Amino acid sequence: MLAACGGAPAATDKAKAPEPTAPRDPAGASPVATTAPERRSPCADGSCTECGDGVCPSGYFCVDSKGHKGCAWLAGCVDKPGCACVSKALPACACKEDGAAARVSCGG
């Protein structure tokens, strides 16, 4: 013979989890707009310069050669990697200033 243990009947009206809602302002009057944070340059403090998908450390400059970007340095231009110095060493390349560093385009 089987014995059955009794218990409270299962509730048919299970409590529903509250629906998620938009964040509200402190006064509770209206939803607060959520926006993506503004992109801040990793070089905003002057410690580097952006170059393509990466960054060049201080003392380097960005070179765009045939559509490929990368960092380069010249021994005589480490302290001042601007166009005044870089253009002397790379006269066939176009140079423009970008903050404390140069952006150099060579061959395309």
Side-chain angles (χ1 to χ4, degrees), residues 15-70:
K16 291 184 181 179
E19 294 284 328
T21 58
R24 298 205 174 263
D25 68 7
S30 62
V32 174
T34 55
T35 58
E38 189 175 314
R39 182 186 175 273
R40 183 173 176 252
S41 169
C43 300
D45 64 356
S47 64
C48 58
T49 187
E50 292 187 68
C51 185
D53 291 334
V55 295
C56 300
S58 181
Y60 286 68
F61 55 93
C62 183
V63 177
D64 184 351
S65 179
K66 298 180 182 175
H68 299 284
K69 294 183 179 178

Side-chain angles (χ1 to χ4, degrees), residues 68-104:
H68 299 284
K69 294 183 179 178
C71 301
W73 68 277
L74 295 167
C77 299
V78 172
D79 291 331
K80 295 194 181 221
C83 288
C85 185
V86 173
S87 292
K88 289 177 188 174
L90 304 172
C93 299
C95 185
K96 72 176 189 174
E97 294 290 331
D98 183 20
R103 292 202 175 272
V104 179

